[in-house]
Amino acid sequence: MAADRTNVPEEVIRLYDRFTHGGMDRRAFMERLTQIAGSTAAAAAFLPMLQSNYALAETVKPDDPRLAYEDGVAIPGSDAGLTGYLVAPKGGVKRPALLMIHENRGLNPHIRDMTRRGALAGHLTLGIDALSPEGGTPANEDQARSMFGTLNPDVAAGRCAAAVRFLASHPQSTGKVGAIGFCWGGGQVNRVLAIEPALNAGVSYYGSQIPAERVPGIKGALLLHYASKDERINAGIPAYEAALRANGKTYELHLYEGADHAFNNDTGGARYHPEAAKLAWDRSLAFLARHLGAPPAVG
C-alpha cells in the first residue's frame, strides 16, 4: 500500500523535495527533519512515508507474457556505452515508439515499470539509462543523485536525442516517436524537443523549463503536467508558456490541484497522488495517440 499522504506535513514534503534535488546533503536533511518532527524517533517514522518502495514497482510484471524485453540494448550515435531497457508488445507489428526518461535516480525499478506500462499501452518503449556511459544507474539513490549533479544537462539531452533517433529507425517502429519524462526527465523532454526534430511529441511531468531563446527550436507537440504545490518548478511556468505562445508552438498545460512534485511516482510515498497520476497518464496516452497515431492493441 502507498503511504498515507495525510500523515506527512507539507513542511516535511518540501524538505524532502529540497533534499532529493541537491539542496542539502543527507546529514543536513536528517537534522532538519528531526527538528520538524520533534525527535529522532519521529523523524525515523516519517522516512518510510517519503522514500521509494520498489516493492510497488510491478504494476506490469517484469515477465508479463504479452511483452518482449531486451535489457542493456545499445543506443548508437552518442557516448560510448549508452544503453536502455527496450520493451515491446509481442507480435512484431510496427508501433509508434516511446522514450521513457527517468528522474534523477536513473533507470530504477519504478522507471522500468513505467517502460512496461508504455509498452502495454501499445508502444515500442525504451527506458533510457542516461548514466550508462558512466557505468549505469547505481542501486543507491544518494549516489545516483550525486552522479546526476555532475552530468551536464545538454550532454544528457544529446544522449536522449540519440535514443529518439534509434527508436525512429527501429524496424518495429512506425517512425513516429514520443517521449515521456519525469522530474529530471521532464526537463530533458523540454530540452530534447528543442534539438531533435525526430521527436514528434513530448510529455513533461513537472520538468524544469528551457530558456525562451531555445523555444523556437521546438518542432514537436508538447504536453506539460505540473503539480499545484510544486513552487520550485512552477516558478518557471509563466515565462515558458509566454515563449511557447509567442513562437506558435503546439502545447497543452495542466495543473493538478493538491498534488506535489513527483505525484506520478507510485513507489514514492507521500508525494504520490493517485487521482492526479491516473488523470495525467490518461491524458498522456490520448495526447500521444493524437500526435503519433493510435497504437495497435496489445493481445
Side-chain angles (χ1 to χ4, degrees):
M1 296 290 291
D4 185 353
R5 303 173 67 255
T6 62
N7 291 337
V8 182
E10 283 296 326
E11 186 178 6
V12 170
I13 292 176
R14 298 282 80 74
L15 178 70
Y16 188 70
D17 184 63
R18 182 181 169 197
F19 164 60
T20 57
H21 293 90
M24 59 175 59
D25 60 22
R26 177 167 287 277
R27 180 176 179 179
F29 164 69
M30 289 303 303
E31 288 177 350
R32 180 60 184 141
L33 180 61
T34 300
Q35 291 173 356
I36 295 171
S39 70
T40 302
F46 276 133
L47 283 178
M49 301 181 190
L50 297 166
Q51 296 174 327
S52 299
N53 178 6
Y54 291 139
L56 302 174
E58 290 192 2
T59 302
V60 180
K61 296 292 185 183
D63 59 352
D64 189 300
R66 294 167 292 181
L67 304 175
Y69 312 88
E70 185 178 356
D71 212 349
V73 61
I75 301 170
S78 184
D79 301 275
L82 183 63
T83 63
Y85 174 54
L86 187 66
V87 186
K90 289 182 178 177
V93 177
K94 286 184 178 290
R95 298 175 176 278
L98 179 60
L99 176 64
M100 201 68 68
I101 311 178
H102 48 66
E103 303 153 314
N104 69 340
R105 278 150 284 180
L107 184 59
N108 58 29
H110 168 61
I111 298 300
R112 288 175 176 270
D113 188 39
M114 291 304 305
T115 301
R116 295 191 294 271
R117 290 187 216 181
L120 199 58
H123 296 275
L124 169 68
T125 309
L126 175 70
I128 191 172
D129 184 352
L131 292 177
S132 49
E134 284 76 35
T137 295
N140 182 287
E141 289 195 351
D142 288 350
Q143 183 183 352
R145 282 191 288 265
S146 178
M147 292 174 71
F148 277 104
T150 64
L151 179 59
N152 183 297
D154 289 326
V155 170
R159 293 174 182 179
C160 292
V164 169
R165 297 190 296 272
F166 167 77
L167 287 170
S169 62
H170 194 280
Q172 200 174 333
S173 168
T174 62
K176 295 288 188 180
V177 184
I180 298 180
F182 305 94
C183 185
W184 181 89
Q188 284 296 306
V189 167
N190 291 320
R191 287 177 179 273
V192 178
L193 271 172
I195 65 171
E196 181 48 67
L199 183 57
N200 303 107
V203 180
S204 174
Y205 279 74
Y206 30 83
S208 60
Q209 302 84 7
I210 56 175
E213 59 267 23
R214 295 192 182 190
V215 169
I218 294 176
K219 301 295 188 296
L222 176 60
L223 174 59
L224 298 161
H225 296 306
Y226 294 113
S228 67
K229 297 181 179 181
D230 191 3
E231 296 178 0
R232 177 179 59 87
I233 291 295
N234 293 356
I237 292 176
Y240 194 35
E241 190 166 20
L244 291 167
R245 286 176 174 169
N247 287 278
K249 301 305 177 183
T250 300
Y251 80 98
E252 300 175 24
L253 188 154
H254 298 284
L255 187 71
Y256 296 84
E257 290 298 330
D260 292 290
H261 186 86
F263 68 76
N264 178 75
N265 191 337
D266 52 2
T267 72
R271 295 187 295 173
Y272 173 52
H273 193 299
E275 296 82 11
K278 183 182 186 306
L279 180 56
W281 182 247
D282 290 345
R283 284 171 167 167
S284 298
L285 294 181
F287 175 84
L288 292 172
R290 288 196 300 274
H291 294 284
L292 308 180
V298 178

